[in-house]
Amino acid sequence: MKQLDRNKTLQQLDGKDWGEPTFDSHLVQECHRLHRVPLRDFTVEDLRITIGQDIGLDYLVPLALERLHADPFAEGAHYPCDLLVRVLGSDARFWQSHPDLREQLVAITERAIELFPTVPDIASKTVTRAVIRAYDEFKKQQRPVA
């Protein structure tokens, strides 16, 4: 994957100005705002939100994988591993066309699952179930269609 200019925004990278939001919801407002934020300034929560909406995956998934490689339990605003769960749930077509990134995600997820027993304060049953459920769904979506 080519080196990204982290000083650029999604708007600059994809060449599309979304203009002002026309729907009055927090999520829509936030996605429009994040479309104009330099990649270097994206937080875990920003990545969780945009990837959860399948926005800018070509640019943001590599950033998310960097964060998850450093800390597979990276937490946005909800719970430990919420970024991992969102990345696992992103567009299956993206993963099918990026096998190198898919391999990284599989390795990170399997490492997180292996580490759960060693970090009981993070690995509540709810978090463990959320990650395993998202991973199982991810694996199903990656199977070739017969």
Side-chain angles (χ1 to χ4, degrees), residues 5 7-16 35-36 38 59:
D5 183 348
N7 293 314
K8 291 189 175 182
T9 66
L10 289 172
Q11 180 170 295
Q12 291 169 316
L13 291 165
D14 69 19
K16 296 176 188 164
H35 198 244
R36 296 179 177 141
Y59 310 110

Side-chain angles (χ1 to χ4, degrees), residues 1 11 24-25 84 101 112 115:
M1 184 143 285
Q11 180 170 295
D24 187 24
S25 83
L84 178 58
L101 297 176
L115 289 172

Side-chain angles (χ1 to χ4, degrees), residues 64-75 83 108 111 122:
L65 292 176
E66 283 178 14
R67 301 271 180 104
L68 291 168
H69 181 72
D71 178 10
F73 304 117
E75 180 176 352
L83 178 59
I108 289 165
R111 184 170 57 113
I122 288 181

Side-chain angles (χ1 to χ4, degrees), residues 7 26 57 84 118 123:
N7 293 314
H26 174 72
L57 297 180
L84 178 58
T118 67

